[in-house]
Structure formats: structure tokens, C-alpha cells
Amino acid sequence: MTDHRTLEGEFDFHGDALDDVFSTYSRLRARCPVGRGGKYGGFWYLTKNEDIFAAEQDPGTFSVAPSMLLPGFGTDFPLIPLDIDPPEHARYRRILLPLFTPRAVARLEDGMRGTARQLIGQMTEQRVADVSALYARPMPTVVFSRLAGFPEKDWPRFDAWVDDIIYERTTNPARARAAAREVVAYFDHLLRARHSMAVNHDLISELLGARIDGEPLTHDELVSYCYLLFLAGLDTTAWAIRSSLWYLARHAEAQERLRREPDLIPAAAEEFLRTMSPVQAMARTCRADTEIRGRQLKAGDRVLLVFGAGNRDPDSFERPDEIQIDREANRHLAFGAGIHRCLGSHLGRRELVVALQEFLSAVPGFSHAEPDEKWHGIGRLTLQLARG
């Protein structure tokens, strides 16, 4: 049997470790719910739902600086507003908040559905298709890029950058940093060009016109904001769509029930977000010594809030490892909590719901053509597609 200190020290939440991460979470919660991981320079981790929520509500003790990411996304600057603490955090966050309200997101729905239907239509003749490459990935890329104001001609470059920055940073950090430099250069050029263009009703225009204490954002602040929007807007929603379809491809009865009862799709989407969260963890740094469940955390220690473990905590969810597509009480952590709750949460969940509605409506049945493909990430998802 694995010693709990070995289990703590070897804990990982990236790459192949995600294959069996839910079993790992169960063992950690039972044996060492607050523990000390040895990877990525060392960190404490919290796996209990209530501890994670408490930390999210206490930015005075748990700072997001120098980064909420462990390891980072290949940059040497804080990502705005993700890595900014109060009180500055609120000033940066409120700039774009009006564009991500439920009402603002509802105005984007027709465009989402049109994009989803177009992508599905391109798969009409295929009996076997990589639904990740043809649907889960391009849908949020198109939707978010239009919202942000990223030029359509550049969209084909985005996936390679996302893959290198997010999925190579733990095994090939040099490649991740090289891609990060390319993205920074891209936004440096794009922002300089946009200064001389007519104002559009998109995120970049809002950033260019924003003022904090009467002053515009600096060029470096604009680049940082765009860098974060680029990564957060493309990867997480693609992961959520892909993992939801991955599950449904394995469970024909859930597929059929959602077709019979489409009103359940929003609840199912929340359950997929809870159980297969695109963001499994976020990091903090202790501002002062603190104690959690008898463990002594010191000022300066890095602390990992393991959302994926909290989302399957049996003290917070009945039968937590069971995906119940009609689950009602679902206060999950897929988007975080507190002041750093994901700015785009309403957009992300709406994209997921629309993607599932349109796919289930158009495709009468689907199953895995390659059953060994994993649940996590935005890699291939090869499905056998039935035709009506």
C-alpha cells in the first residue's frame, strides 16, 4: 500500500496523471486532505470542498501573486486580471464584466448556434470523425474570437499555440515559452494596429477605451489582458465540450434521455463541469502563516486549490463520483469561487449547453471508434456517428 507521504509527494494534476486522477483525489481526501506535493517547486494542496471555498473567500491570506497557474503559462508577467490581488483586481475585472453578464451572453446565442450547425454540417457525410478537431475545438475558437475581435484569418494559428502553452509546459517548458513569446508578439502587433482602426464592439475595443483612475491601460497591461483572454477563452470550453461528448459516447442511455428530455441538458452540462472540470486546480501563495486541518502553512508557501477534488467531495455531494445528468444541488467549483470566479463563466456554460443541444439534435447516435482515448484535454475524440 502506498504510504500517504509518498502519495502526497508524488501528487500531480497534469498530463498522464489525469488518467486516474479521480482515484488519486479519493485517496488524498481520505488520507491527507491537506498535503505537501513535491512537484513544480513544492506546494501545499487542499482537496476538501469546504477548505477550497474558504480559501477562495480569503484573498487576504491567499494571494494570487505571482501566478494562479502552477506551473505558469510561459510568461514573466502577471496575467490581468487573473494574477492581480485586491484592491487593484476589481478595477481590472470591472472593465469587461458588462460584456460577460447573462444578458450580454444571451445576445451571442444565435451566433453560437449558427457556428455549431455549420460545423456539424461539415461532418454530415462522415461516419467516423475526430469530433474534437472538427467541433469541440473550433466552436469556442470561432465564438470567442469574434467576441474578442481576433482576425478571422489568424484563427488557424491559435490551436497550435494553445497546445504548446497549456499542454507542453510541464514536459517541454522551452517549447511553451517559445509559443508564449509568439503570442505576446502577436498581440503586441495586433494592439498597435487596432489603435489606428475604427472602434468595434468587441473586447479589444473595450480594453483600448478603458480607463483606470482616469488613465488608459498601458500597452503591457493590454498585452497581458489579451494573452489571458486568448488562452482562457479557447481551451477550457473546448475541453468541456469534448469531455461531455466523451462521456455521452460511452453512455447511450444518457444520450437518449437528453434527446427525449432536452430540458435536462443545462443540468447535465453542470454535472459534466463538476465531474470533469477543465480547470482541475489553481494556485495561491500564503501571505501569512496559517493552519488548515492541523497542517502548518508558512508565509510564502504555494497552495494548490484542487477544484477537481473538491467537486467530488462526498461531504458536499451525494454519490460524488457518479455522473447524474439530472442532479439538482450542484454548487461546484468548475469556475472557481469568490472574487476570482471565472469572468467568462456565463459564456463558457452557455457555449457548452448550445454545443450539446445542437450535437444531440443533429446526430441520432454516436459512440467511441477509439475507446482508449482519454477523458481529459482537447486531443482527438474519434467517434462513430450514426446517421438518420
Side-chain angles (χ1 to χ4, degrees):
M1 182 177 292
T2 303
D3 181 89
H4 79 272
R5 287 166 296 189
T6 302
L7 182 63
E8 285 186 64
E10 294 181 352
F11 170 50
D12 198 0
F13 51 101
H14 290 295
D16 291 342
L18 288 169
D19 294 353
D20 191 41
V21 77
F22 304 126
S23 296
T24 300
Y25 291 160
S26 180
R27 294 195 299 272
L28 290 175
R29 283 192 308 264
R31 302 181 196 176
C32 40
V34 178
R36 182 74 179 168
K39 296 182 179 293
Y40 314 119
F43 58 90
W44 290 97
Y45 62 77
L46 310 183
T47 62
K48 295 292 290 180
N49 187 281
E50 64 176 313
D51 295 340
I52 297 167
F53 265 106
E56 287 275 66
Q57 304 297 329
D58 187 8
T61 302
F62 298 98
S63 168
V64 294
S67 176
M68 282 175 65
L69 305 167
L70 186 68
F73 273 175
T75 63
D76 296 318
F77 52 80
L79 301 181
I80 296 173
L82 188 71
D83 297 332
I84 307 297
D85 284 310
E88 290 81 5
H89 170 264
R91 298 172 190 154
Y92 286 111
R93 184 179 173 92
R94 73 169 61 102
I95 292 170
L96 294 184
L97 195 58
L99 298 181
F100 289 103
T101 63
R103 179 176 295 181
V105 169
R107 292 195 290 268
L108 303 174
E109 185 167 324
D110 286 347
M112 293 181 199
R113 292 195 184 279
T115 298
R117 290 169 184 171
Q118 180 182 10
L119 293 169
I120 294 169
Q122 293 170 359
M123 292 187 284
T124 300
E125 301 303 321
Q126 298 189 43
R127 298 293 178 176
V128 176
D130 178 0
V131 174
S132 180
L134 297 176
Y135 189 65
R137 297 191 70 166
M139 182 191 166
T141 296
V142 172
V143 171
F144 190 82
S145 294
R146 286 175 177 160
L147 174 64
F150 301 157
E152 184 171 351
K153 65 181 177 60
D154 296 334
W155 297 349
R157 305 163 64 184
F158 292 169
D159 284 349
W161 281 336
V162 168
D163 286 347
D164 285 351
I165 293 171
I166 296 179
Y167 297 101
E168 294 288 336
R169 72 189 201 274
T170 59
T171 57
N172 194 344
R175 184 170 176 174
R177 293 186 71 84
R181 287 193 295 270
E182 291 181 18
V183 173
V184 168
Y186 172 82
F187 283 117
D188 175 75
H189 174 78
L190 178 63
L191 287 163
R192 293 184 192 281
R194 285 293 300 269
H195 274 291
S196 60
M197 294 171 61
V199 174
N200 297 316
H201 297 292
D202 56 36
L203 300 185
I204 291 181
S205 289
E206 292 296 321
L207 291 174
L208 290 171
R211 296 294 182 270
I212 294 181
D213 297 331
E215 296 295 325
L217 297 178
T218 69
H219 185 73
D220 287 346
E221 288 173 328
L222 289 167
V223 170
S224 172
Y225 219 136
C226 286
Y227 186 98
L228 174 64
L229 288 171
F230 169 79
L231 292 175
L234 305 188
D235 171 70
T236 53
T237 307
W239 174 314
I241 295 170
R242 181 194 174 280
S243 62
S244 299
L245 294 174
W246 177 92
Y247 174 83
L248 289 172
R250 277 171 154 70
H251 296 85
E253 72 285 357
Q255 274 189 54
E256 290 309 309
R257 185 176 180 193
L258 292 179
R259 289 191 185 92
R260 290 194 313 270
E261 303 176 61
D263 288 348
L264 283 180
I265 291 177
E270 294 300 316
E271 184 72 338
F272 298 145
L273 287 167
R274 179 185 73 84
T275 54
M276 300 180 289
S277 305
V279 178
Q280 286 291 302
M282 283 286 196
R284 299 290 190 273
T285 302
C286 283
R287 290 178 180 266
D289 294 357
T290 190
E291 179 180 325
I292 305 176
R293 295 185 186 268
R295 306 300 295 266
Q296 303 297 320
L297 285 62
K298 301 295 184 182
D301 285 350
R302 295 286 273 160
V303 183
L304 195 70
L305 310 182
V306 190
F307 299 150
N311 279 343
R312 289 172 174 247
D313 186 346
D315 289 335
S316 298
F317 300 96
E318 183 180 353
R319 300 200 301 267
D321 291 316
E322 180 181 314
I323 295 181
Q324 301 174 22
I325 60 174
D326 57 357
R327 188 183 293 268
E328 295 180 358
N330 207 343
R331 184 172 172 257
H332 61 69
L333 286 157
F335 296 109
I339 64 170
H340 291 289
R341 177 181 169 79
C342 175
L343 180 67
S345 61
H346 298 302
L347 176 63
R349 62 169 27 109
R350 196 65 213 155
E351 286 181 288
L352 174 57
V353 168
V354 168
L356 293 176
Q357 288 172 335
E358 295 298 332
F359 198 85
L360 287 164
S361 175
V363 182
F366 54 94
S367 59
H368 284 275
E370 298 290 343
D372 291 338
E373 290 171 344
K374 306 300 184 182
W375 71 272
H376 53 84
I378 54 177
R380 292 184 63 85
L381 180 61
T382 312
L383 300 184
Q384 183 82 37
L385 306 178
R387 297 300 177 190

